[in-house]
PDB file of all heavy atoms in Angstrom:
ATOM      1  N   VAL A  65       2.244 -13.068  -9.005  1.00 96.00           N
ATOM      2  CA  VAL A  65       3.591 -13.649  -8.845  1.00 96.00           C
ATOM      3  C   VAL A  65       4.364 -13.616 -10.198  1.00 96.00           C
ATOM      4  O   VAL A  65       5.517 -13.275 -10.079  1.00 96.00           O
ATOM      5  CB  VAL A  65       3.471 -15.089  -8.365  1.00 96.00           C
ATOM      6  CG1 VAL A  65       4.805 -15.858  -8.474  1.00 96.00           C
ATOM      7  CG2 VAL A  65       2.951 -15.089  -6.856  1.00 96.00           C
ATOM      8  N   ALA A  66       3.735 -13.989 -11.247  1.00 97.00           N
ATOM      9  CA  ALA A  66       4.374 -13.931 -12.530  1.00 97.00           C
ATOM     10  C   ALA A  66       4.944 -12.508 -12.965  1.00 97.00           C
ATOM     11  O   ALA A  66       6.111 -12.383 -13.314  1.00 97.00           O
ATOM     12  CB  ALA A  66       3.468 -14.397 -13.644  1.00 97.00           C
ATOM     13  N   LEU A  67       4.132 -11.493 -12.621  1.00 97.00           N
ATOM     14  CA  LEU A  67       4.538 -10.169 -12.942  1.00 97.00           C
ATOM     15  C   LEU A  67       5.684  -9.640 -12.049  1.00 97.00           C
ATOM     16  O   LEU A  67       6.711  -9.057 -12.558  1.00 97.00           O
ATOM     17  CB  LEU A  67       3.351  -9.170 -12.789  1.00 97.00           C
ATOM     18  CG  LEU A  67       2.248  -9.198 -13.794  1.00 97.00           C
ATOM     19  CD1 LEU A  67       1.058  -8.422 -13.536  1.00 97.00           C
ATOM     20  CD2 LEU A  67       2.750  -8.800 -15.166  1.00 97.00           C
ATOM     21  N   VAL A  68       5.608  -9.890 -10.787  1.00 97.00           N
ATOM     22  CA  VAL A  68       6.676  -9.500  -9.937  1.00 97.00           C
ATOM     23  C   VAL A  68       7.946 -10.272 -10.155  1.00 97.00           C
ATOM     24  O   VAL A  68       9.110  -9.717 -10.189  1.00 97.00           O
ATOM     25  CB  VAL A  68       6.279  -9.580  -8.399  1.00 97.00           C
ATOM     26  CG1 VAL A  68       7.429  -9.280  -7.400  1.00 97.00           C
ATOM     27  CG2 VAL A  68       5.069  -8.750  -8.087  1.00 97.00           C
ATOM     28  N   PHE A  69       7.809 -11.569 -10.453  1.00 97.00           N
ATOM     29  CA  PHE A  69       8.994 -12.442 -10.745  1.00 97.00           C
ATOM     30  C   PHE A  69       9.720 -11.901 -11.990  1.00 97.00           C
ATOM     31  O   PHE A  69      10.887 -11.744 -12.144  1.00 97.00           O
ATOM     32  CB  PHE A  69       8.550 -13.845 -10.840  1.00 97.00           C
ATOM     33  CG  PHE A  69       9.623 -14.831 -11.245  1.00 97.00           C
ATOM     34  CD1 PHE A  69      10.633 -15.199 -10.338  1.00 97.00           C
ATOM     35  CD2 PHE A  69       9.645 -15.366 -12.507  1.00 97.00           C
ATOM     36  CE1 PHE A  69      11.604 -16.099 -10.602  1.00 97.00           C
ATOM     37  CE2 PHE A  69      10.805 -16.270 -12.816  1.00 97.00           C
ATOM     38  CZ  PHE A  69      11.684 -16.572 -11.852  1.00 97.00           C
ATOM     39  N   ALA A  70       8.805 -11.530 -12.993  1.00 97.00           N
ATOM     40  CA  ALA A  70       9.385 -11.113 -14.320  1.00 97.00           C
ATOM     41  C   ALA A  70      10.039  -9.765 -14.072  1.00 97.00           C
ATOM     42  O   ALA A  70      11.059  -9.484 -14.797  1.00 97.00           O
ATOM     43  CB  ALA A  70       8.221 -10.955 -15.423  1.00 97.00           C
ATOM     44  N   GLY A  71       9.472  -8.889 -13.224  1.00 96.00           N
ATOM     45  CA  GLY A  71      10.092  -7.574 -12.971  1.00 96.00           C
ATOM     46  C   GLY A  71      11.463  -7.785 -12.407  1.00 96.00           C
ATOM     47  O   GLY A  71      12.403  -7.065 -12.728  1.00 96.00           O
ATOM     48  N   ALA A  72      11.618  -8.667 -11.338  1.00 96.00           N
ATOM     49  CA  ALA A  72      12.871  -8.924 -10.753  1.00 96.00           C
ATOM     50  C   ALA A  72      13.956  -9.499 -11.753  1.00 96.00           C
ATOM     51  O   ALA A  72      15.109  -9.160 -11.730  1.00 96.00           O
ATOM     52  CB  ALA A  72      12.701  -9.764  -9.569  1.00 96.00           C
ATOM     53  N   LEU A  73      13.430 -10.403 -12.618  1.00 96.00           N
ATOM     54  CA  LEU A  73      14.389 -10.980 -13.552  1.00 96.00           C
ATOM     55  C   LEU A  73      14.859  -9.936 -14.612  1.00 96.00           C
ATOM     56  O   LEU A  73      16.032  -9.833 -14.997  1.00 96.00           O
ATOM     57  CB  LEU A  73      13.766 -12.125 -14.265  1.00 96.00           C
ATOM     58  CG  LEU A  73      13.619 -13.396 -13.579  1.00 96.00           C
ATOM     59  CD1 LEU A  73      13.097 -14.581 -14.475  1.00 96.00           C
ATOM     60  CD2 LEU A  73      14.868 -13.862 -12.896  1.00 96.00           C
ATOM     61  N   LEU A  74      13.896  -9.049 -14.932  1.00 96.00           N
ATOM     62  CA  LEU A  74      14.271  -7.962 -16.007  1.00 96.00           C
ATOM     63  C   LEU A  74      15.248  -7.046 -15.268  1.00 96.00           C
ATOM     64  O   LEU A  74      16.219  -6.598 -15.952  1.00 96.00           O
ATOM     65  CB  LEU A  74      12.894  -7.122 -16.316  1.00 96.00           C
ATOM     66  CG  LEU A  74      12.951  -6.400 -17.570  1.00 96.00           C
ATOM     67  CD1 LEU A  74      13.032  -7.431 -18.737  1.00 96.00           C
ATOM     68  CD2 LEU A  74      11.616  -5.619 -17.722  1.00 96.00           C
ATOM     69  N   ALA A  75      15.105  -6.694 -13.946  1.00 95.00           N
ATOM     70  CA  ALA A  75      16.132  -5.895 -13.316  1.00 95.00           C
ATOM     71  C   ALA A  75      17.497  -6.624 -13.238  1.00 95.00           C
ATOM     72  O   ALA A  75      18.497  -5.891 -13.447  1.00 95.00           O
ATOM     73  CB  ALA A  75      15.582  -5.561 -11.863  1.00 95.00           C
ATOM     74  N   ALA A  76      17.415  -7.937 -13.012  1.00 95.00           N
ATOM     75  CA  ALA A  76      18.686  -8.687 -12.994  1.00 95.00           C
ATOM     76  C   ALA A  76      19.355  -8.649 -14.320  1.00 95.00           C
ATOM     77  O   ALA A  76      20.604  -8.436 -14.430  1.00 95.00           O
ATOM     78  CB  ALA A  76      18.431 -10.078 -12.497  1.00 95.00           C
ATOM     79  N   LEU A  77      18.597  -8.794 -15.382  1.00 95.00           N
ATOM     80  CA  LEU A  77      19.071  -8.747 -16.790  1.00 95.00           C
ATOM     81  C   LEU A  77      19.733  -7.476 -17.078  1.00 95.00           C
ATOM     82  O   LEU A  77      20.714  -7.329 -17.804  1.00 95.00           O
ATOM     83  CB  LEU A  77      18.005  -9.148 -17.697  1.00 95.00           C
ATOM     84  CG  LEU A  77      18.354  -9.203 -19.194  1.00 95.00           C
ATOM     85  CD1 LEU A  77      19.430 -10.204 -19.616  1.00 95.00           C
ATOM     86  CD2 LEU A  77      17.104  -9.376 -20.114  1.00 95.00           C
ATOM     87  N   SER A  78      19.129  -6.334 -16.571  1.00 93.00           N
ATOM     88  CA  SER A  78      19.659  -5.068 -16.879  1.00 93.00           C
ATOM     89  C   SER A  78      20.997  -4.916 -16.420  1.00 93.00           C
ATOM     90  O   SER A  78      21.814  -3.995 -16.986  1.00 93.00           O
ATOM     91  CB  SER A  78      18.740  -3.933 -16.201  1.00 93.00           C
ATOM     92  OG  SER A  78      19.013  -3.960 -14.748  1.00 93.00           O
ATOM     93  N   THR A  79      21.481  -5.545 -15.429  1.00 92.00           N
ATOM     94  CA  THR A  79      22.861  -5.386 -14.888  1.00 92.00           C
ATOM     95  C   THR A  79      23.886  -5.898 -15.942  1.00 92.00           C
ATOM     96  O   THR A  79      25.146  -5.607 -15.794  1.00 92.00           O
ATOM     97  CB  THR A  79      23.018  -6.077 -13.614  1.00 92.00           C
ATOM     98  OG1 THR A  79      22.877  -7.472 -13.723  1.00 92.00           O
ATOM     99  CG2 THR A  79      22.104  -5.536 -12.534  1.00 92.00           C
ATOM    100  N   LEU A  80      23.453  -6.591 -16.977  1.00 91.00           N
ATOM    101  CA  LEU A  80      24.383  -7.240 -17.888  1.00 91.00           C
ATOM    102  C   LEU A  80      24.482  -6.363 -19.132  1.00 91.00           C
ATOM    103  O   LEU A  80      25.280  -6.658 -20.030  1.00 91.00           O
ATOM    104  CB  LEU A  80      23.919  -8.626 -18.297  1.00 91.00           C
ATOM    105  CG  LEU A  80      23.757  -9.626 -17.230  1.00 91.00           C
ATOM    106  CD1 LEU A  80      23.242 -10.903 -17.704  1.00 91.00           C
ATOM    107  CD2 LEU A  80      25.055  -9.906 -16.398  1.00 91.00           C
ATOM    108  N   LEU A  81      23.729  -5.283 -19.202  1.00 87.00           N
ATOM    109  CA  LEU A  81      23.557  -4.446 -20.396  1.00 87.00           C
ATOM    110  C   LEU A  81      24.203  -3.026 -20.307  1.00 87.00           C
ATOM    111  O   LEU A  81      24.735  -2.654 -19.148  1.00 87.00           O
ATOM    112  CB  LEU A  81      22.036  -4.259 -20.834  1.00 87.00           C
ATOM    113  CG  LEU A  81      21.366  -5.694 -21.054  1.00 87.00           C
ATOM    114  CD1 LEU A  81      19.884  -5.480 -21.375  1.00 87.00           C
ATOM    115  CD2 LEU A  81      22.090  -6.497 -22.084  1.00 87.00           C
ATOM    116  N   SER A  82      24.216  -2.304 -21.309  1.00 83.00           N
ATOM    117  CA  SER A  82      24.717  -0.896 -21.300  1.00 83.00           C
ATOM    118  C   SER A  82      23.802   0.019 -20.427  1.00 83.00           C
ATOM    119  O   SER A  82      22.737  -0.389 -20.018  1.00 83.00           O
ATOM    120  CB  SER A  82      24.742  -0.367 -22.731  1.00 83.00           C
ATOM    121  OG  SER A  82      23.395  -0.200 -23.156  1.00 83.00           O
ATOM    122  N   ALA A  83      24.401   1.198 -20.053  1.00 78.00           N
ATOM    123  CA  ALA A  83      23.546   2.071 -19.049  1.00 78.00           C
ATOM    124  C   ALA A  83      22.319   2.491 -19.664  1.00 78.00           C
ATOM    125  O   ALA A  83      21.237   2.561 -18.963  1.00 78.00           O
ATOM    126  CB  ALA A  83      24.490   3.254 -18.759  1.00 78.00           C
ATOM    127  N   ALA A  84      22.227   2.843 -20.997  1.00 77.00           N
ATOM    128  CA  ALA A  84      20.973   3.230 -21.535  1.00 77.00           C
ATOM    129  C   ALA A  84      19.903   2.214 -21.580  1.00 77.00           C
ATOM    130  O   ALA A  84      18.799   2.327 -21.153  1.00 77.00           O
ATOM    131  CB  ALA A  84      21.171   3.795 -23.033  1.00 77.00           C
ATOM    132  N   ALA A  85      20.301   0.994 -21.989  1.00 88.00           N
ATOM    133  CA  ALA A  85      19.383  -0.127 -21.958  1.00 88.00           C
ATOM    134  C   ALA A  85      18.969  -0.585 -20.620  1.00 88.00           C
ATOM    135  O   ALA A  85      17.888  -0.937 -20.250  1.00 88.00           O
ATOM    136  CB  ALA A  85      20.018  -1.364 -22.698  1.00 88.00           C
TER     137      ALA A  85
END
Side-chain angles (χ1 to χ4, degrees):
V65 166
L67 289 171
V68 177
F69 180 72
L73 286 187
L74 206 60
L77 178 63
S78 75
T79 61
L80 306 176
L81 304 177
S82 66

